[in-house]
Amino acid sequence: MSRKVFRQGSELEMTRVLLVDDKPENLDYLKVLLTAYGCEVDTARHGAEALTLARQALPDIVVSDLLMPVMDGYTLLRFWKSDPLFCSVPFIVYTATYTEADDERLALGLGADAFILKPAEPEVFIAQIRGVLSTGASAMIDESAGTEDEKGLLKLYSETLIRKLEEKTLQLEEANRILQEDIRRRKQAEADLRERKNELRALAESMPQMVWMTGPDGRNIYLNRRWVEFTGQTAVEGRGDGWAEKIHPDDLPATLEAWERAQKGLSDYSVECRVCRIDGDYRWMLIRGLPFRNQEGEIVKWMGTCTDIHDLKEANTKLREQAALLDLAQDAILVCDLEHRVLFWNGSAERLYGWTAAEALVRSVLELIYDDPTDFVAAVKIALETGDWAGEIEQTTKSGKKLTVEGHWTLVRDDDGRPKSILAINTDITSRKQMELQFFRAQRLESIGTLAGGIAHDFNNLLSPIVMGVSFLKRFETRENVLKVIRNIERSADRGKELVRQVLSFARGVESARITLDLGHIVREVESIVMSTFPKNITVERRIASDLWLVEGDPTQIHQVIVNLCVNSCDAMQDGGRLLVSADNLVVDEQYAVMNHGVTAGRYVVLTVTDEGSGIPREVQDRMFEPFFTTKDLGKGTGLGLSTVLGIVRGHGGFIDVVSEPGKGTSFKIFIPAQSESATKETSLPDLEELPMGGGELILVVDDEVSILDITKQTLESYGYRAMVAEDGAKAIAIYADHRDEIAAVITDIMMPIMNGPALIAALRRINPQVLIIAASGVEVDTEEKRNGIPGVKAFLKKPFSAQRLLVVLRSVLSSA
């Protein structure tokens, strides 16, 4: 009876497959494969288990191996095809053992629907299952017929089993032969190993050193006779951790630490420690050990020696104690023969000059620490003639660093009184000399600062009437050609005002003012200066991003940065070339910030100054930002240009990147942090037409500069105020005493002859404690500390100030009263 065809489609979903194989890995592989195609899979390890499972849940198809225990695949196939319940279910033979033509003929003769040899490609295997399912199972075998064909199949089955049994027997015999050969070889290897061990033991026992062997855990498994004789500890007592009892307690931690480091592969095992002798005394030993590893690289044992170094140790010690006396000296001590060869070089000399004693000995001191031998030769001559020399001399370290030392050199004579060497004691005074130089520079800067303060006051007094006069003229002038001249005067005055403040900032450390800037404006200003002052063989180009972000900074300092870099580029292009100044936006990401220590990720405006000049050598690039370092001739450069640039950029929270190639030019990139996207340009003061008008209030103006009094009085009166003026503090007190009820506010300079501003303010407050006072000064006084030092001042005006600034501050003070 044949079973109805189960599936015609190409898919195997919900097909129940029974897998029969005694090897779990084969079952797992086929189960994963069939499950991936949507099959439901049951597994059995032999034919008997397969029949039981099939009666519980009839499969759609069976895939069975042939060679299995309990019931093989042939027997399962005979039972399957002779049972009416199973015969309609297709049966596929899948084997790697029965691979001959008779094996396949027997399986097909017993009713198998397909015969597949292992291993089969997944696509071939699945295709076979689909083909069998589409055609259905073969006919059921009728064992009662007793035909000649059936007898032939049974005979073939018996012959097949006998053949496979013979093959397996031959395979077992071959495996047994190989095993016996392996056993013979292993026994021979064991005999050889025992012989080597005996030889090694005999060698270890005959050695004058103590020999030890440990397992991979560091526990002793062998100690030679020398150990027993030296320590009095038997090999049994010294096994395991017993050896540690013989190590001096003070040395045991270092010994164990060295052992742990060696086990981790961090260093060789070599340690000096004291070991207790049989009489109770300790002697210094050098313990060394080597690891033995297996094929996988794992340590299987350690073997080493203990060598007595006690006498030697007491002697590489006495020498050290003697040398240590000289090494403890803070000064570099060296001895040279009359040919200038180094005979002695102490530890301080090593630290000072960078040359080790081994490197320095027998070499000429001239090649070690002198670039120019002139001063050295002169000093040696004096020492030879007089017996000693003392003074300052320039020397050089191994790395090329310049030193200034204070030397005390003494001529050493032999027993017959003949000169044989020079003992030199050199003290490094480089830092002291640098501190002296810095002190002198600081004194000069302090003097410059004092001078700059006085100059700034006078200069700002000169600028004040110009600045206010410009504002006054702009209000009443309508002709465009005249206004253009006025605006040029205004820009020049503003630049002069900023330059004075910059001088004070540099000389006296005054905090610079920061405003919101569009750096494109500064680039354009610098371009106009450069084009009008640089040689005509230098072509200047400008490139500014159209949507340049805003920054917060000091415009004069940024101006100084760009000018300094442009001047450097000009100096580098003696034969002319192209100078490019650009401003661009850039977002620095986290990766760039991490790769450049000290850089913060975020939005930056990048100012780039690129030239086609001579470039900067590598050795100069390493030092070019150092204060007072310069490659220019004496008197042609201060060495402060690039150090000032770096200081300004860092003060703005930015950083510098330099790319230079000798002969091809240099590019300086200045990174200035940009403000947030919501930032806007600096809020300017109101136009003159929009300024608040006065209401006839009387204002007393006090200043020792007549020009400032005149322009201030005109400005106030033109905006609806009344004004009275005084040229010194005494006149101001007299005027205020007569008109105290009318005067609404007092504007006074701080620095004046006869009576200065603070004295005047104190006198006015004694007359009227509620007086409204606005102080003005040409030096920096607009800080909290200085404001607190002048009580009663409601606001400060920094000279020179514009008419807009004057009127806005005045209105603010009057409104607050």
Side-chain angles (χ1 to χ4, degrees):
M1 125 182 202
S2 61
R3 191 179 182 197
K4 183 179 179 182
V5 176
F6 186 74
R7 290 186 180 271
Q8 299 293 338
S10 61
E11 301 299 328
L12 299 177
E13 287 191 17
M14 304 305 292
T15 300
R16 181 178 291 277
V17 181
L18 175 59
L19 299 176
V20 191
D21 200 312
D22 62 325
K23 291 184 169 52
E25 60 271 21
N26 292 342
L27 291 175
D28 293 340
Y29 166 70
L30 292 178
K31 186 174 182 177
V32 170
L33 176 62
L34 292 168
T35 302
Y37 280 87
C39 297
E40 297 180 1
V41 180
D42 296 324
T43 61
R45 292 167 295 178
H46 50 73
E49 185 178 1
L51 291 173
T52 302
L53 289 175
R55 287 188 174 89
Q56 295 172 358
L58 186 65
D60 295 321
I61 190 169
V62 179
V63 179
S64 176
D65 193 13
L66 290 178
L67 185 61
M68 296 181 294
V70 184
M71 179 186 288
D72 68 354
Y74 285 121
T75 304
L76 171 62
L77 179 57
R78 287 184 63 227
F79 276 110
W80 195 270
K81 289 300 181 178
S82 63
D83 191 320
L85 177 62
F86 303 142
C87 63
S88 61
V89 177
F91 195 107
I92 296 178
V93 172
Y94 188 46
T95 179
T97 305
Y98 294 88
T99 59
E100 299 181 7
D102 287 345
D103 301 332
E104 182 176 2
R105 184 164 60 86
L106 176 58
L108 296 177
L110 291 174
D113 297 288
F115 188 89
I116 306 175
L117 294 179
K118 296 180 183 178
E121 293 295 330
E123 296 79 3
V124 175
F125 182 81
I126 294 299
Q128 288 277 19
I129 291 180
R130 286 175 174 159
V132 170
L133 286 174
S134 65
T135 59
S138 62
M140 172 179 162
I141 295 177
D142 186 0
E143 293 187 348
S144 63
T147 63
E148 289 298 325
D149 288 342
E150 182 188 357
K151 292 178 181 179
L153 289 174
L154 292 177
K155 180 181 178 183
L156 181 59
Y157 172 58
S158 299
E159 291 174 349
T160 300
L161 291 180
I162 291 171
R163 175 167 46 81
K164 290 303 176 184
L165 182 59
E166 290 175 348
E167 291 176 358
K168 287 295 181 182
T169 302
L170 291 174
Q171 291 175 1
L172 289 174
E173 289 177 352
E174 178 63 18
N176 183 61
R177 186 189 66 77
I178 294 173
L179 178 60
Q180 292 299 323
E181 180 64 22
D182 287 345
I183 292 173
R184 186 191 66 76
R185 289 177 179 173
R186 184 159 55 250
K187 287 182 177 179
Q188 181 63 44
E190 290 174 352
D192 293 343
L193 180 60
R194 283 194 299 271
E195 184 178 357
R196 299 288 86 77
K197 284 184 176 179
N198 291 334
E199 292 174 352
L200 180 61
R201 183 180 294 272
L203 178 63
E205 292 295 333
S206 64
M207 289 182 66
Q209 291 94 351
M210 292 181 280
V211 179
W212 51 268
M213 185 182 297
T214 74
D217 58 355
R219 297 176 65 84
N220 267 332
I221 58 178
Y222 170 75
L223 292 166
N224 75 338
R225 176 178 53 83
R226 178 63 177 148
W227 172 271
V228 178
E229 294 174 349
F230 184 89
T231 65
Q233 186 183 60
T234 67
V236 175
E237 293 171 341
R239 288 196 174 189
D241 296 332
W243 61 272
E245 299 175 1
K246 294 297 180 179
I247 304 297
H248 194 288
D250 293 344
D251 301 336
L252 186 58
T255 303
L256 295 176
E257 181 183 356
W259 174 254
E260 291 176 0
R261 289 178 59 83
Q263 281 192 310
K264 295 176 181 177
L266 300 177
S267 64
D268 295 335
Y269 184 52
S270 179
V271 64
E272 295 179 2
C273 64
R274 287 163 289 181
V275 179
C276 185
R277 201 165 54 178
I278 191 171
D279 59 5
D281 288 340
Y282 283 94
R283 290 186 68 83
W284 281 99
M285 293 285 175
L286 173 62
I287 303 179
R288 288 177 174 171
L290 292 175
F292 289 81
R293 303 177 185 272
N294 59 19
Q295 292 181 347
E296 288 75 28
E298 300 171 337
I299 297 177
V300 294
K301 67 177 65 174
W302 288 80
M303 189 170 184
T305 61
C306 300
T307 304
D308 191 333
I309 59 169
H310 191 81
D311 295 338
L312 186 61
K313 185 88 171 177
E314 284 191 340
N316 288 339
T317 301
K318 289 180 181 179
L319 288 175
R320 281 199 300 267
E321 288 175 354
Q322 295 172 358
L325 295 176
L326 294 177
D327 285 337
L328 289 175
Q330 296 297 314
D331 299 325
I333 301 176
L334 49 150
V335 178
C336 298
D337 64 17
L338 299 185
E339 300 297 326
H340 313 314
R341 291 187 294 262
V342 176
L343 304 177
F344 177 78
W345 190 269
N346 77 334
S348 292
E350 290 184 332
R351 292 186 290 272
L352 178 61
Y353 300 117
W355 298 99
T356 66
E359 293 172 323
L361 290 178
V362 192
R363 292 181 63 181
S364 171
V365 73
L366 281 171
E367 65 179 85
L368 292 176
I369 58 176
Y370 291 100
D371 287 339
D372 184 353
T374 305
D375 292 339
F376 170 79
V377 172
V380 169
K381 182 180 179 181
I382 294 174
L384 290 173
E385 292 174 351
T386 65
D388 58 27
W389 172 86
E392 296 180 3
I393 193 168
E394 299 297 321
Q395 296 176 340
T396 306
T397 68
K398 181 179 181 180
S399 63
K401 179 182 177 182
K402 303 297 183 182
L403 297 176
T404 302
V405 302
E406 187 175 72
H408 297 271
W409 299 357
T410 302
L411 180 64
V412 180
R413 302 177 183 272
D414 61 16
D415 294 339
D416 298 327
R418 290 173 298 189
K420 69 172 185 177
S421 60
I422 293 179
L423 168 67
I425 302 176
N426 295 333
T427 303
D428 182 13
I429 61 171
T430 306
S431 298
R432 189 180 78 191
K433 298 292 287 185
Q434 290 176 345
M435 290 180 64
E436 290 177 356
L437 182 60
Q438 291 174 359
F439 176 73
F440 294 145
R441 287 171 176 164
Q443 284 185 320
R444 288 199 300 272
L445 286 176
E446 184 178 357
S447 300
I448 292 173
T450 303
L451 178 63
I455 294 175
H457 175 266
D458 293 341
F459 196 69
N460 281 332
N461 279 338
L462 294 175
L463 287 174
S464 293
I466 299 175
V467 172
M468 283 192 293
V470 164
S471 300
F472 185 81
L473 292 173
K474 283 168 63 178
R475 186 185 181 198
F476 298 104
E477 182 59 60
T478 59
R479 291 170 295 177
E480 185 58 34
N481 59 334
V482 178
L483 283 173
K484 183 176 181 180
V485 174
I486 294 174
R487 292 189 191 102
N488 285 334
I489 296 172
E490 183 178 37
R491 281 195 295 269
S492 298
D494 287 341
R495 178 57 62 195
K497 177 176 64 175
E498 291 298 323
L499 286 175
V500 172
R501 185 181 58 78
Q502 186 64 23
V503 169
L504 288 174
S505 176
F506 180 78
R508 305 176 68 181
V510 176
E511 184 72 21
S512 61
R514 302 289 175 86
I515 61 173
T516 299
L517 297 174
D518 181 345
L519 296 184
H521 297 328
I522 299 180
V523 171
R524 294 184 184 94
E525 289 182 10
V526 173
E527 181 193 24
S528 63
I529 295 174
V530 167
M531 292 184 67
S532 61
T533 58
F534 278 19
K536 299 305 180 183
N537 61 353
I538 294 179
T539 302
V540 182
E541 297 181 13
R542 163 175 52 86
R543 186 181 68 235
I544 301 174
S546 58
D547 56 346
L548 200 64
W549 295 330
L550 302 177
V551 303
E552 182 178 307
D554 184 314
T556 302
Q557 288 187 344
I558 301 296
H559 188 278
Q560 181 183 359
V561 166
I562 304 176
V563 169
N564 278 358
L565 295 179
C566 289
V567 170
N568 283 353
S569 294
C570 177
D571 293 341
M573 294 189 290
Q574 296 296 321
D575 298 326
R578 173 174 167 267
L579 173 63
L580 172 64
V581 183
S582 63
D584 301 281
N585 298 327
L586 179 69
V587 176
V588 172
D589 58 20
E590 292 292 344
Q591 179 176 349
Y592 182 95
V594 170
M595 294 173 62
N596 295 268
H597 298 296
V599 174
T600 303
R603 291 156 41 98
Y604 288 83
V605 175
V606 184
L607 297 173
T608 305
V609 178
T610 303
D611 63 59
E612 296 175 343
S614 57
I616 305 174
R618 170 55 58 186
E619 61 273 14
V620 175
Q621 290 185 40
D622 295 337
R623 300 189 58 195
M624 61 186 179
F625 290 109
E626 293 180 10
F628 305 107
F629 174 79
T630 179
T631 58
K632 297 178 180 179
D633 295 336
L634 184 64
K636 294 185 178 181
T638 64
L640 290 174
L642 287 180
S643 64
T644 301
V645 167
L646 181 61
I648 292 174
V649 173
R650 286 180 175 174
H652 283 74
F655 60 96
I656 300 177
D657 187 21
V658 183
V659 177
S660 183
E661 185 174 351
K664 294 188 177 180
T666 302
S667 177
F668 280 85
K669 289 184 177 294
I670 308 299
F671 295 75
I672 304 296
Q675 291 188 330
S676 62
E677 297 184 42
S678 59
T680 58
K681 287 186 172 62
E682 178 192 23
T683 303
S684 59
L685 292 171
D687 291 336
L688 291 171
E689 294 79 4
E690 302 172 354
L691 289 171
M693 298 292 292
E697 297 94 334
L698 179 60
I699 308 300
L700 174 59
V701 181
V702 187
D703 201 299
D704 60 319
E705 290 288 336
V706 176
S707 58
I708 295 178
L709 292 177
D710 291 342
I711 191 63
T712 303
K713 185 174 186 297
Q714 292 181 43
T715 300
L716 291 173
E717 290 176 346
S718 65
Y719 278 88
Y721 294 96
R722 294 178 295 140
M724 301 182 70
V725 299
E727 297 177 13
D728 56 58
K731 292 181 180 179
I733 292 174
I735 294 174
Y736 189 81
D738 291 339
H739 302 276
R740 59 173 295 179
D741 294 333
E742 298 178 66
I743 295 175
V746 177
I747 302 174
T748 180
D749 190 15
I750 293 296
M751 298 179 63
M752 296 182 295
I754 303 176
M755 177 182 287
N756 62 17
L760 170 61
I761 293 169
L764 293 176
R765 295 187 70 222
R766 283 195 294 270
I767 298 173
N768 178 13
Q770 306 302 320
V771 62
L772 300 178
I773 297 175
I774 299 173
S777 176
V779 295
E780 297 286 347
V781 294
D782 51 345
T783 64
E784 285 296 328
E785 180 181 357
K786 293 180 178 179
R787 290 181 184 181
N788 294 336
I790 311 177
V793 174
K794 301 299 182 181
F796 279 86
L797 286 172
K798 173 67 174 67
K799 288 183 177 181
F801 48 83
S802 63
Q804 293 99 317
R805 187 68 181 167
L806 168 66
L807 296 171
V808 168
V809 171
L810 178 58
R811 176 47 54 194
S812 175
V813 170
L814 293 175
S815 300
S816 65

